[in-house]
Amino acid sequence: MSVKYSMWLEYQIEANWTSPLVFVLYNTLKPVGGSLLLLAMYYVVTGGFLGSDALYYLYIGNAFYMLVSQTLFSVGWIIHDDREHYQTLKYVYISPMSYFVYLMGRSAMRFLLSILPLAVLIVIGIFLGVPYRIAPLLLVVTFIFGWIFIVSAGLLLCGINMLTARHGESVGQAFAGIFYLFSGVIFPLSVLPGWASKFSLWLPSTYWFSLVRRSVLGGEVDTIMGGFTTSEVAVILLAISVVFFVISYVAYRFADFLARKKGILDMSTTY
Amino acid sequence: MNIMLNLRAVKGRAYPRIIGALREPSWVFWQTFLPILGMAAYVYVYRSLDAPKEFEGFVVLGGVMTTYWLNVLWGMASQLYWEKETANLQLYLAAPMSKMSILAGMALGGMFSTTVRGLSIILIGVFIFQVDFVVTNVLLLIAIFLVTLVALYGMGMLFASLFLMWGREAWHINILLEEPVYFLSGYSFPVKALGSVSAFASMIPFTLGLDAMRQLTFPSMAEWGLLLPEVELTILVAMGVFLIFCARAALNRMERLGRAKGTLTMRWQ
Amino acid sequence: MDAITCKDLGRLFKSKGRAVEALKEVTISVKKGELFGLLGPNGAGKTTLIKILTTLLLPTSGNAYVHGYDVTKDEKKIRPIINMVSGGEYSGYGLLTVEENLWMFSQFYGMPGKEAHKRINELMDRLGIAHMAKRKVRTLSTGERQRVNIIRAFMTNPSVVFLDEPTLGLDVETARLIRKFIKEWIENDPSRTVLLTTHYMMEADELCDRIAIIDEGEIVALDTPVALKDMVKKEISLKIEVYPQIKVEWLNAVKGVIGVKSKEMGGNLGLRVIVADEAAVGDVLAGINERGGRIHYLYKEEPTLEDVFLKLTGRGLE
């Protein structure tokens, strides 16, 4: 029940600020703008838009990255928003509903709302000639695993935000930058320096994006990730995601404890 | 216009920004280190496509200017929305200073952390990514940088006026403006590649400023320049003056509209 | 020229097909040097009126002037001479200290730094928070925060101060301190004016030279507290404790005595005497004295502003 209400709240905050038409337009223009940037970069180097694994890699990676960045952008904002904007954090916190469950509910709705811009980009990809070979079951599994790792990252971020000042609205997006750089989202891992590509193999997002490519494009073009079978990628992703979730949960609980100990759970840090 | 009053107001509002940054140094991680990762990803995209080295420099320079653009969007324009939500806006509006002084104070105060971020990007570009900046005209480069900032902040003040009227819609417009502006301004690629669209894109001060600065720091890529740097500087000066005048008029108009509709003190709009 | 003038002032709010008339033809004048109260329940229109007079909101009908300046057109002339405080205010920045927050706001009024610091220190001393100067605002309690808000409003030495429920939610000591401060501030300079809104009748009664009672956007009464209470004709109830015990039957024969109740109170006599008017009070006390009784305790229940509001609107203030 608590999850339902926190999901409802997230919808009210994130989706209910304008008319449906403007909302759809917003969820179209934003991801398209991000993709156009990458397409333009591709174009200035290669002189074209069509028929290249590199382009499809870049495009699909960026499209699914929208799910990560949009969810983390909003989740990264929940603590600061509740604490300093709406000043409801303490009231939700002391209610019988677990604050952890509340955060899970809000991030779940945010994840669901982020599927709309992803869908827009998938459709646009058809016109770009992206050779979709969608494996529905694998795609569903990919979404489920995606939710686990994104929510874990969000939980970690929330824990950190409990202890830090409100520096700005983009902390969530900035946090997502870790995945953007180290997960083979828009370029193959082999381009990274050796230590960085080794580090990438410890991130759940690396395996998630590989699963994305396999479930949408029907194969893996990254030379490093291509060395794993789909089953291996799925199992490793599940294992790392569980570990990541546990680490994030522990970190969140510790941050929660520290915030209460220091008396900063409802602090005001605007400047 | 009382100049001393407004200068003091600028100083007053800049102060919390600077002190806040010094007292809560975690911004160094959130607003400097992490955003650089996103920029670095674009550098690696070019490497994966075997692009000329100078393109990586384009990304680095774009990253520097983007930090100022984000400061305009989030540190200034949308800040009035935040001030309204925290009940400071009504005190600002009831005070005799100009609204532009408040915004200028926010911008100047925010420039401390923004400039630290910009410098970090340049250092990383030079030492980590081995980008080679070849500055052909230092004075012109500095002039273009400063005039671009003035024009950009003028644009920010214009956006800020929207927040006097609207609430969450304006905040979401802010979010919306990030990526499309990156695209139109050629944040990570030469804007000339956009063809005729670049003419429209030139209406954003960021576009011309970045284009001119690239020509002055990567002379070997001059063929990717849109217009001559001197011409772009002239346009930027005109743009800056125009935007500041528009911002002043818009702020007054939006304040009046906000007073008429009762939205100036309305929270959770 | 009056400090504040409102003539047929109206404010209509429209939202999604609904219209709310927050103010209806409000006409009041506040003289310079006056501490004027606006008393009314929640939602009466007090804050709406304050917002119009502080140039944050435009009226939809009528006119309003502050020191002769039109609130709709002359905001630039009004803002340098006014200031405001709201109850439950959370303005300022949590990361800054008390001193820094106050200094910052002083800059918005163009106060030179030295003057600002001097004024801030004086006021912090007056309001008993000098020792909190270096504390971050976010660590303050509600009462401490409100004292800071009061300093913020008064440090610029405004000609007109608007106080919107300034003691809302405060403890007795802090509320009393703030009321004392407001009273002394206005007494020190006859050109200063305060417009105070409250729904605490005791506060309005204690502080205000004149009070306007507002209900559902309309002024229902405007006069001094004494004159307003005189509107309410009420029997006088006396509670008296007498020692030693005396006979009380004679009281029913005293002219003006409506009713008597007595009870023993540990060797003394407790009396409740209802009289029709003030003249009977003297007769009752004299009669007690003649029969050997001494007054240990006497309490006279007075009509209150709540009684006034009740009579005018049929409802209570709170």
Side-chain angles (χ1 to χ4, degrees), chain A residues 5-242:
Chain A
Y5 293 126
S6 52
M7 286 177 75
W8 168 85
L9 177 62
E10 180 67 19
Y11 174 79
Q12 293 294 327
I13 292 172
E14 288 297 335
N16 195 27
W17 51 273
T18 187
S19 67
L21 178 66
V22 172
F23 182 71
V24 169
L25 210 66
Y26 169 84
N27 277 286
T28 306
L29 286 176
K30 186 166 165 57
V32 165
S35 292
L36 283 175
L37 184 71
L38 288 168
L39 291 175
M41 287 172 69
Y42 181 85
Y43 175 75
V44 295
V45 177
T46 64
F49 284 117
L50 300 173
S52 148
D53 281 348
L55 175 68
Y56 308 141
Y57 186 112
L58 194 147
Y59 186 80
I60 290 299
N62 187 65
F64 276 80
Y65 179 70
M66 287 289 156
L67 214 52
V68 178
S69 72
Q70 296 241 58
T71 306
L72 285 179
F73 177 84
S74 290
V75 169
W77 190 220
I78 291 175
I79 296 288
H80 290 152
D81 214 16
D82 278 0
R83 187 176 76 196
E84 305 196 33
H85 178 193
Y86 298 112
Q87 295 177 1
T88 53
L89 187 146
K90 57 188 172 211
Y91 304 117
V92 177
Y93 194 91
I94 65 168
S95 71
M97 171 169 69
S98 147
Y99 198 73
F100 166 74
V101 168
Y102 166 79
L103 291 173
M104 291 296 102
R106 285 195 61 175
S107 64
M109 177 51 79
R110 187 60 237 172
F111 183 85
L112 289 173
L113 289 172
S114 303
I115 291 174
L116 175 59
L118 168 63
V120 166
L121 287 174
I122 298 285
V123 167
I124 292 173
I126 296 171
F127 299 97
L128 285 174
V130 175
Y132 291 118
R133 278 184 209 94
I134 295 180
L137 189 62
L138 187 60
L139 191 59
V140 168
V141 167
T142 303
F143 271 112
I144 293 169
F145 285 174
W147 186 80
I148 294 172
F149 111 75
I150 293 170
V151 156
S152 303
L155 200 55
L156 185 60
L157 189 55
C158 285
I160 296 169
N161 285 346
M162 275 187 180
L163 303 172
T164 53
R166 187 195 81 88
H167 289 300
E169 286 77 353
S170 54
V171 291
Q173 254 177 339
F175 188 73
I178 297 172
F179 304 117
Y180 202 50
L181 178 62
F182 292 111
S183 304
V185 178
I186 52 175
F187 55 86
L189 291 178
S190 51
V191 177
L192 287 171
W195 63 268
S197 49
K198 285 194 178 74
F199 170 70
S200 301
L201 294 174
W202 289 96
L203 291 175
S205 46
T206 306
Y207 300 92
W208 188 69
F209 279 101
S210 181
L211 264 192
V212 161
R213 287 187 286 275
R214 291 164 200 253
S215 58
V216 173
L217 297 174
E220 174 61 271
V221 295
D222 185 301
T223 49
I224 294 178
M225 293 311 292
F228 296 96
T229 65
T230 303
S231 309
E232 282 169 344
V233 170
V235 167
I236 295 171
L237 173 57
L238 180 63
I240 295 185
S241 295
V242 166

Side-chain angles (χ1 to χ4, degrees), chain B residues 82-247:
Chain B
W82 190 256
E83 301 290 6
K84 195 200 303 192
E85 297 297 310
T86 52
N88 282 319
L89 183 66
Q90 62 186 23
L91 297 177
Y92 289 166
L93 293 175
M97 73 206 158
S98 153
K99 290 164 287 298
M100 291 180 87
S101 308
I102 285 292
L103 293 168
M106 286 175 190
L108 278 174
M111 243 193 253
F112 167 64
S113 55
T114 304
T115 303
V116 167
R117 183 162 144 183
L119 283 172
S120 307
I121 292 173
I122 291 178
L123 289 172
I124 283 172
V126 168
F127 293 108
I128 309 277
F129 295 123
Q130 313 287 310
V131 167
D132 211 4
F133 292 99
V134 180
V135 181
T136 54
N137 188 332
V138 174
L139 288 176
L140 184 58
L141 180 68
I142 292 170
I144 287 171
F145 174 69
L146 291 173
V147 170
T148 304
L149 283 192
V150 169
L152 208 55
Y153 282 98
M155 195 173 206
M157 287 189 187
L158 189 57
F159 288 157
S161 67
L162 297 177
F163 283 91
L164 288 178
M165 262 297 292
W166 294 313
R168 289 191 297 164
E169 289 94 335
W171 194 75
H172 280 94
I173 287 169
N174 238 29
I175 299 172
L176 186 62
L177 283 175
E178 273 187 38
E179 269 101 359
V181 166
Y182 290 169
F183 170 66
L184 288 171
S185 61
Y187 152 46
S188 55
F189 63 93
V191 73
K192 196 173 177 179
L194 295 180
S196 49
V197 174
S198 56
F200 167 71
S202 305
M203 289 201 300
I204 307 167
F206 191 12
T207 308
L208 289 180
L210 192 52
D211 189 72
M213 288 169 70
R214 278 178 179 153
Q215 291 182 65
L216 293 171
T217 49
F218 300 102
S220 57
M221 288 283 153
E223 79 264 25
W224 282 106
L226 199 56
L227 299 166
L228 287 174
E230 291 82 356
V231 172
E232 288 176 330
L233 175 62
T234 310
I235 298 172
L236 281 167
V237 169
M239 228 187 244
V241 171
F242 175 71
L243 283 167
I244 286 172
F245 269 109
C246 285

Side-chain angles (χ1 to χ4, degrees), chain B residues 15 23, chain C residues 91-106 117 120-121 123-124 129-141 144-149 151-152 155:
Chain B
Y15 181 82
R23 283 190 187 150
Chain C
S91 60
Y93 299 102
L95 274 179
L96 298 186
T97 64
V98 167
E99 203 172 24
E100 286 169 339
N101 260 309
L102 290 171
W103 170 83
M104 182 191 72
F105 277 106
S106 74
H117 281 297
I120 288 166
N121 288 334
L123 288 171
M124 282 200 289
I129 57 167
H131 61 289
M132 293 177 198
K134 305 285 183 206
R135 268 176 59 182
K136 294 209 176 64
V137 165
R138 69 175 189 230
T139 63
L140 301 182
S141 69
E144 290 162 351
R145 196 149 193 160
Q146 190 63 351
R147 291 186 217 194
V148 174
N149 294 333
I151 294 172
R152 181 192 51 68
M155 68 180 174

Side-chain angles (χ1 to χ4, degrees), chain C residues 235-242 248 250-252 254-262 269-277 280-281 283-285 288 298-301:
Chain C
E235 294 126 356
I236 299 166
S237 171
L238 297 171
K239 274 179 171 174
I240 312 171
E241 192 174 329
V242 179
V248 297
W250 59 272
L251 279 169
N252 290 309
V254 172
K255 189 181 171 192
V257 169
I258 298 168
V260 179
K261 264 190 188 165
S262 63
L269 179 69
L271 289 172
R272 190 176 178 91
V273 183
I274 313 289
V275 298
D277 52 54
V281 176
D283 293 339
V284 166
L285 296 177
I288 290 170
L298 172 67
Y299 176 70
K300 181 179 147 196
E301 283 180 350

Side-chain angles (χ1 to χ4, degrees), chain C residues 114-184:
Chain C
K114 270 195 186 140
E115 185 193 326
H117 281 297
K118 183 166 171 271
R119 191 95 184 98
I120 288 166
N121 288 334
E122 272 168 14
L123 288 171
M124 282 200 289
D125 268 331
R126 284 281 308 281
L127 283 162
I129 57 167
H131 61 289
M132 293 177 198
K134 305 285 183 206
R135 268 176 59 182
K136 294 209 176 64
V137 165
R138 69 175 189 230
T139 63
L140 301 182
S141 69
T142 306
E144 290 162 351
R145 196 149 193 160
Q146 190 63 351
R147 291 186 217 194
V148 174
N149 294 333
I150 292 285
I151 294 172
R152 181 192 51 68
F154 285 85
M155 68 180 174
T156 59
N157 205 22
S159 300
V160 184
V161 173
F162 296 91
L163 303 173
D164 191 4
E165 307 206 31
T167 59
L168 185 70
L170 299 183
D171 62 77
V172 168
E173 191 199 327
T174 306
R176 196 180 287 172
L177 179 69
I178 286 173
R179 278 187 219 115
K180 183 167 174 261
F181 173 81
I182 294 167
K183 220 170 170 172
E184 285 170 3

